[in-house]
Each structure stands twice: as C-alpha cells, then as structure tokens.
C-alpha cells in the first residue's frame, strides 16, 4: 500500500492509523512518501501510488475521492497581535502581514485560493517553514501570521501559546480526502484503512466534523 501525503500537518494522525492498520493487515506492505516535490495524482493514475491524502481534489478519470473529515482553517497570530481585537479576519487584514505557509505552491493553499485571491488581496510578504512547530514559534514571537487547521493548533491554544481567529464570517472550512483508484474503491484492505483513519481522527482530533 503506497501512500502519499499532501498535508504537512497530517502526520500526527496518519502514523497511528498506519500502526493500527499494520496489526490487522500484517501481510500488506506499506510505504509512505510526501507529495511536496512531485505531482502525486498522475502517479496514482499510473499505479505507482495506491492512496493520496489531499485537500485539493481535481477531477480525473479512474480516480475516486473519499472524504475523511472537514476542518476549519483559522488564522494563527501572536497573543499580542493587534488582530486579536477582531472577532474575525477579512482578506484586507492580511495586506500588511507576513504570511507563513508550508512550502507549497500558493495556488494549492486555501488561504490564497479561497480567501485572498477572490478578494484581490495579498499579504505584504510570505515566508515558509517545513514544520508546524516551527510555524508556531515564528507566530508566537511576532514574526508573522499563518493559516492552519484548527485541529493542528489545538494543543498550542490550550497552552495559551498563540491566539487564533476565524477567516471570514462563516469561517474557512476545508475537507480532507483520500484519493484512490476507482478499481480499488471496494477492496477490503482499502476500506479497512479508511475506516481506521476516520476512527482515529475523530477520536483524537479536536474541531473536526463529518464531511
């Protein structure tokens, strides 16, 4: 089972899922890669991969997208940031900010494609960091702001390390999908893996809901 992940924050729940799955299916060989340096969906179509975790589905013949869960992307700011005075963030609020993102093309980031771009706004500047904990440290020290899944920052909020605000009046809700080849959509091992993933995420992640 060759899995590719397009979500930097997803390792937290994917690793326990894989460990649990291995107990039920010891005969299924597993391999994990990240889709940050190549396009995983064509590889999935070719059969080089068996499953891609993505929040950016694109229609492709022979590929089925199965929703795992929905989550809210929120703006993470330092506790001293002036934006803490606002109940919700509007696109124009980010025009004077440094936006810290994972090193992913802007077109594939919801904060751009679904929030800033439709409003014709952009941040003053951007910078990238590979790890959530690095982004948290930069945000907490006032070096910038970031848009992250609510479940990925829950622990930092609980510990009063950072602050967070919703993006827009209704919030920016996103869905995470498992992309698989349609021919494997009914395979028993695949259904069990997806059931395990949903079970573990709903047991361990805060703020998510059924897609």
């Amino acid at each position: 089972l060759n899995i590719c992940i397009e979500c930097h924050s997803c390792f937290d729940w994917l690793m326990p899922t894989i460990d649990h799955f291995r107990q039920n299916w010891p005969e299924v060989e597993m391999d994990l890669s990240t889709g940050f340096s190549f396009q995983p969906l064509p590889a999935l179509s070719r059969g080089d991969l068996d499953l891609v975790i993505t929040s950016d589905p694109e229609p492709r013949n022979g590929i089925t997208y199965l929703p795992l869960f929905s989550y809210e992307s929120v703006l993470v700011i330092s506790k001293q940031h002036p934006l803490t005075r606002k109940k919700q963030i509007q696109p124009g609020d980010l025009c004077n900010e440094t936006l810290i993102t994972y090193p992913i093309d802007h077109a594939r980031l919801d904060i751009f494609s679904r929030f800033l771009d439709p409003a014709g706004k952009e941040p003053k500047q951007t910078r990238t960091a590979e790890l959530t904990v690095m982004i948290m440290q930069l945000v907490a020290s006032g070096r910038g702001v970031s848009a992250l899944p609510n479940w990925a920052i829950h622990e930092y909020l609980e510990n009063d390390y950072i602050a967070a605000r919703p993006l827009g009046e209704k919030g920016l809700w996103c869905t995470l999908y498992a992309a698989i080849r349609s021919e494997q959509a009914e395979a028993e091992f695949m259904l069990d893996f997806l059931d395990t993933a949903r079970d573990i995420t709903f047991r361990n992640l805060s703020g998510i809901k059924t897609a």
Side-chain angles (χ1 to χ4, degrees), residues 94-99 122-126:
L94 301 184
C95 291
N96 293 315
E97 302 295 335
T98 296
L99 183 63
E122 59 182 43
K124 184 177 181 181
Q125 60 186 40
T126 60

Side-chain angles (χ1 to χ4, degrees), residues 131-162:
L131 303 174
T132 304
V133 64
M134 293 168 59
I135 294 177
M136 289 295 102
Q137 290 175 344
L138 290 168
V139 168
S141 61
R143 309 289 290 279
V145 302
S146 186
L148 291 171
N150 55 353
W151 53 267
I153 65 163
H154 177 73
E155 181 183 343
Y156 299 97
L157 280 174
E158 289 281 292
N159 292 328
D160 207 26
Y161 190 62
I162 43 89

Side-chain angles (χ1 to χ4, degrees), residues 51-54 64-68 176-180 194:
L51 188 151
V52 176
I53 305 293
T54 182
T64 296
Y65 292 93
L66 301 171
L68 294 172
L176 202 65
Y177 297 88
I180 61 176
L194 297 173

Side-chain angles (χ1 to χ4, degrees), residues 86-100:
K86 301 199 68 168
K87 289 185 177 179
Q88 62 203 27
I89 304 301
Q90 298 302 326
D93 295 330
L94 301 184
C95 291
N96 293 315
E97 302 295 335
T98 296
L99 183 63
I100 306 167

Side-chain angles (χ1 to χ4, degrees), residues 56 106-119 172:
D56 186 27
H106 287 180
R108 297 169 65 197
L109 290 168
D110 288 314
I111 183 66
F112 283 98
S113 64
R114 295 178 50 205
F115 188 70
L116 291 170
D117 292 350
L172 184 59

Side-chain angles (χ1 to χ4, degrees), residues 40-110:
L41 292 175
L44 177 64
S45 295
R46 289 193 305 269
D48 297 337
L49 296 170
D50 298 307
L51 188 151
V52 176
I53 305 293
T54 182
S55 60
D56 186 27
E58 49 183 75
R60 280 179 174 268
N61 288 334
I63 300 296
T64 296
Y65 292 93
L66 301 171
L68 294 172
F69 59 85
S70 292
Y71 61 91
E72 186 180 7
S73 182
V74 295
L75 191 76
V76 187
I77 50 182
S78 72
K79 290 168 57 184
Q80 296 78 34
H81 199 290
L83 288 178
T84 55
R85 295 194 289 267
K86 301 199 68 168
K87 289 185 177 179
Q88 62 203 27
I89 304 301
Q90 298 302 326
D93 295 330
L94 301 184
C95 291
N96 293 315
E97 302 295 335
T98 296
L99 183 63
I100 306 167
T101 72
Y102 296 118
I104 302 173
D105 184 57
H106 287 180
R108 297 169 65 197
L109 290 168
D110 288 314

Side-chain angles (χ1 to χ4, degrees), residues 7-22:
C7 162
H8 279 76
S9 358
C10 288
F11 288 100
D12 290 348
W13 61 262
L14 188 60
M15 302 318 288
T17 297
I18 289 174
D19 289 341
H20 193 281
F21 179 81
R22 277 200 182 106

